[in-house]
Amino acid sequence: MKVQVNADMCEGHAKCEKAAPEVFKVGDDDVSVVLVDDVAPELMEKVERAIRMCPRQAISWAKS
Amino acid sequence: MSAPTLKLSDINLNDPELFEREGAHEVLRMLRREAPVHWNPGGEVANGFWSITKYEDIRFVSRNPELFISSKGIAGPGIRPEAMQNLGVGAEQQNAGANISIIGMDPPRHVKMRRLVNKGFTPRAVNAMEPEIRRITNEILDKIDGRDELDFVLEVASQLPLAVICGMMGLEQKDWALMFDLTNKVLGSGDPEYQTDVPEEERGTSAAARATAMRGVGTMMEYFRNVLEDRRKNPREDDLPTILLEAEIDGEKLSEGDLLAFCFLLILAGNETTRNGISGGLRVLCEHPDQKARLLKDMSLMDSAVEEILRWVSPLHHMARTATADAEIRGQQIKAGDRVLMWYPSANRDEDIFEDPYTFDITRTPNEHLAFGIGEHFCLGAGFARRELKVMFEELFRRFPNIELAGKPERLRSNFINGTKHLPVRLNTGR
Ligand code: HEM
Ligand code: SF4
């Protein structure tokens, strides 16, 4: 599955990076970028946690 | 004195005195258990509203900013349409008061407006400001050094957030006291102590509250008109009014109304909540000496202590929304047009989320409290607020580890702001 960060909403709180460092990295512009094309099954739970914890609710699964 | 047994039918969360005397937790606990989505009847002037008391339901409302909008009012139940006429223009202004700043704005315009300033509030910006926050904190503490008893709210807790936000706005230090005063009048308008423009015998009424808020807003309007006028002529680097003056949305500059509303919001939101986080934090630590001692012994617990303070205190009692369509929450039918109030202190004591929610534990993990809201309107200043609390307690306890309460706190009469007006403390420096 694909995960996406809404760059308009993201404000660099880095909760996502903490929850799933394999998947998210906050750049120098204080916006989180997704590091992987496809989230491996064993990382799904961590990504779910990131989605839940993001204070701006900026992360979602991509509807492909 | 043993309290009479609480009945669901008697509950009225629109009673500011309930919060002033700290009776709200008992009521909210009952609602979570018996009526988690509860219709609170209105009064002669006030609308009825739904009380949302469960953590997950407050997340749900916050995360659906198109279904639950902010532009019909963000504080309190609002005024009934029938009552509006009798009250005249003032009432309409009150209902619409917040409409034009981001806190009372809906998608899609909201995020565009927020993005004009949000880079000034990121973790990076907060880190860059930390030395300045520490310097200001020590300046404040220098002033009380050598004293015995003092009012912690007036002399300490209120001073740091005031200095930080006024600094970011580029306001001259001589005007900070006025900003403190106006914040009290606007956000504490229901408390007789701040109704100083109203004859004494009329204080304490809802008319006095409206008059006080309006007077505060009026004075603030005039003040910021002048600030904006000045920055048009003398733009400054990095101050928020200048950034706003130069900003454009879809190729258009902000209107004077937008600019004024943004300035108000920053002053109001940046001031009072953080003040109450600091004073509420000191109070709860002093009331739990074991936790205070533990923190003093290991200051590396400060980050999680600050989170627990925010959960425990919940500096804002609620934020309001209005449903734009029929909706269902926890089986309860909400009608389009209904007002809903999200009670943060209740979310932050929700037994389904927090283990032993009534235990104050500075090492609590996880601690995903909702003191700053979540989603579209998540507190813009959360990073600054957290850092101000952290630095304040680090410096305060480094310099005055034996500080203790020296009397009863005087609480604000409000169901919106969890305010402490005065908190007598003793420094016990042994000098
Ligand atoms: C402990 C201190 C604070 C608490 C508990 C707090 C709480 C909140 C809450 C709950 C909201 C969400 C409103 C909603 O969902 O409708 C909010 C919004 C906001 N806060 Fe704070 N706040 C604090 C400090 C600050 C500071 C220091 C600033 C500015 C420097 C600030 C600026 C704002 C702004 C501008 C908004 C509106 C954001 C929007 O609508 O997009 N706050 N705050
Ligand atoms: S937690 Fe949310 S706001 Fe923070 S960096 Fe990640 S995506 Fe952005």
Side-chain angles (χ1 to χ4, degrees):
Chain A
M1 285 236 277
K2 250 184 167 24
V3 70
Q4 60 194 10
V5 170
N6 178 344
D8 282 349
M9 287 289 280
C10 174
E11 290 176 350
H13 297 284
K15 290 266 197 173
C16 52
E17 197 179 301
K18 229 172 157 185
E22 302 88 340
V23 180
F24 303 98
K25 169 122 189 76
V26 179
D28 288 343
D29 56 352
D30 284 312
V31 174
S32 170
V33 290
V34 177
L35 302 172
V36 298
D37 249 356
D38 201 57
V39 177
E42 66 273 17
L43 291 176
M44 299 275 248
E45 214 181 295
K46 284 188 175 179
V47 171
E48 283 294 348
R49 203 174 317 136
I51 291 177
R52 189 171 159 83
M53 282 176 46
C54 170
R56 296 281 287 145
Q57 297 292 289
I59 313 170
S60 58
W61 293 109
K63 300 180 197 91
S64 54
Chain B
M1 189 178 76
S2 86
T5 3
L6 194 58
K7 284 208 304 279
L8 210 50
S9 53
D10 294 339
I11 285 178
N12 179 17
L13 286 172
N14 197 33
D15 168 15
E17 287 174 37
L18 173 69
F19 293 80
E20 183 182 14
R21 61 171 187 266
E22 308 195 291
H25 273 300
E26 191 195 348
V27 171
L28 292 167
R29 187 178 202 164
M30 179 179 191
L31 287 183
R32 283 199 302 281
R33 199 171 51 226
E34 294 180 24
V37 180
H38 172 257
W39 180 254
N40 196 111
E44 225 167 274
V45 173
N47 278 319
F49 57 88
W50 292 102
S51 280
I52 313 292
T53 58
K54 294 290 283 180
Y55 183 97
E56 290 298 343
D57 297 342
I58 290 179
R59 277 182 66 104
F60 171 75
V61 170
S62 299
R63 294 180 57 194
N64 287 281
E66 275 147 355
L67 180 55
F68 297 103
I69 57 173
S70 296
S71 57
K72 302 252 185 235
I74 47 130
I79 294 167
R80 291 158 67 98
E82 309 89 90
M84 199 89 84
Q85 236 166 3
N86 304 334
L87 295 169
V89 227
E92 256 171 85
Q93 273 179 353
Q94 270 238 319
N95 266 10
N99 283 15
I100 37 182
S101 85
I102 53 171
I103 204 162
M105 202 177 278
D106 302 321
R109 187 168 168 80
H110 170 264
V111 80
K112 292 184 188 175
M113 198 74 135
R114 179 163 166 138
R115 281 167 55 87
L116 300 178
V117 296
N118 68 3
K119 286 287 182 249
F121 293 84
T122 58
R124 196 177 308 266
V126 175
N127 286 339
M129 183 86 105
E130 180 170 323
E132 179 64 6
I133 295 177
R134 204 171 292 278
R135 188 191 63 75
I136 298 169
T137 302
N138 276 303
E139 225 173 70
I140 294 165
L141 297 178
D142 286 345
K143 283 195 198 134
I144 62 164
D145 204 347
R147 303 265 301 280
D148 181 28
E149 278 190 31
L150 52 108
D151 183 341
F152 187 74
V153 176
L154 294 187
E155 300 199 44
V156 182
S158 59
Q159 297 304 305
L160 179 61
L162 188 66
V164 170
I165 192 65
C166 289
M168 289 170 83
M169 307 278 296
L171 308 186
E172 285 177 59
Q173 193 153 0
K174 70 171 173 49
D175 299 335
W176 295 1
L178 176 68
M179 293 300 116
F180 175 73
D181 234 42
L182 293 177
T183 305
N184 289 342
K185 279 203 192 324
V186 176
L187 292 177
S189 60
D191 194 294
E193 180 170 339
Y194 302 129
Q195 296 169 349
T196 47
D197 301 317
V198 178
E200 215 167 320
E201 60 279 8
E202 289 167 30
R203 289 181 198 163
T205 61
S206 62
R210 277 192 300 278
T212 301
M214 264 186 347
R215 189 64 178 265
V217 169
T219 314
M220 214 173 224
M221 186 110 75
E222 212 178 286
Y223 178 86
F224 278 103
R225 261 191 225 292
N226 290 330
V227 170
L228 290 168
E229 201 40 52
D230 174 72
R231 301 301 193 279
R232 277 196 188 95
K233 287 189 217 127
N234 315 300
R236 296 192 192 167
E237 219 167 304
D238 265 5
D239 88 342
L240 286 164
T242 307
I243 292 175
L244 291 170
L245 275 167
E246 290 171 357
E248 288 183 0
I249 291 184
D250 302 332
E252 269 184 52
K253 295 257 187 219
L254 304 191
S255 69
E256 182 82 1
D258 281 346
L259 290 167
L260 287 171
F262 221 135
C263 290
F264 285 18
L265 173 64
L266 290 167
I267 286 289
L268 295 175
N271 238 312
E272 172 111 24
T273 44
T274 316
R275 175 202 312 175
N276 292 316
I278 294 172
S279 49
L282 179 67
R283 177 179 165 196
V284 63
L285 283 167
C286 290
E287 285 172 349
H288 296 79
D290 58 317
Q291 297 291 307
K292 179 171 173 245
R294 193 159 173 203
L295 180 60
L296 285 176
K297 228 164 81 199
D298 181 2
M299 292 286 243
S300 75
L301 296 174
M302 190 58 85
D303 283 324
S304 72
V306 165
E307 293 311 306
E308 181 67 346
I309 286 169
L310 289 164
R311 181 188 78 89
W312 189 264
V313 175
S314 301
L316 271 181
H317 288 309
H318 77 261
M319 290 300 278
R321 298 287 192 268
T322 302
T324 53
D326 292 354
E328 193 185 304
I329 306 178
R330 218 169 272 265
Q332 222 13 289
Q333 297 303 314
I334 312 283
K335 287 248 171 328
D338 284 355
R339 179 84 80 145
V340 302
L341 268 59
M342 305 180 278
W343 295 102
Y344 297 123
S346 181
N348 291 342
R349 297 277 199 289
D350 189 333
E351 295 78 0
D352 290 341
I353 301 295
F354 299 98
E355 219 171 286
D356 300 325
Y358 289 86
T359 303
F360 178 73
D361 173 5
I362 59 166
T363 64
R364 182 181 291 277
T365 27
N367 191 354
E368 297 293 319
H369 63 76
L370 294 178
F372 295 116
I374 191 165
E376 184 85 19
H377 292 277
F378 174 75
C379 177
L380 182 65
F384 276 103
R386 288 184 155 120
R387 197 63 58 90
E388 286 175 42
L389 261 72
K390 177 178 155 109
V391 171
M392 173 53 81
F393 287 122
E394 280 173 359
E395 297 302 310
L396 181 73
F397 291 143
R398 183 176 65 76
R399 297 178 61 166
F400 310 107
N402 299 322
I403 186 170
E404 62 179 9
L405 302 182
K408 261 171 60 101
E410 261 184 71
R411 306 247 322 140
L412 180 71
R413 187 178 301 172
S414 167
N415 71 344
F416 181 56
I417 304 268
N418 185 10
T420 306
K421 294 188 293 181
H422 306 286
L423 184 68
V425 297
R426 196 173 300 114
L427 295 181
N428 289 322
T429 42
R431 265 180 268 159

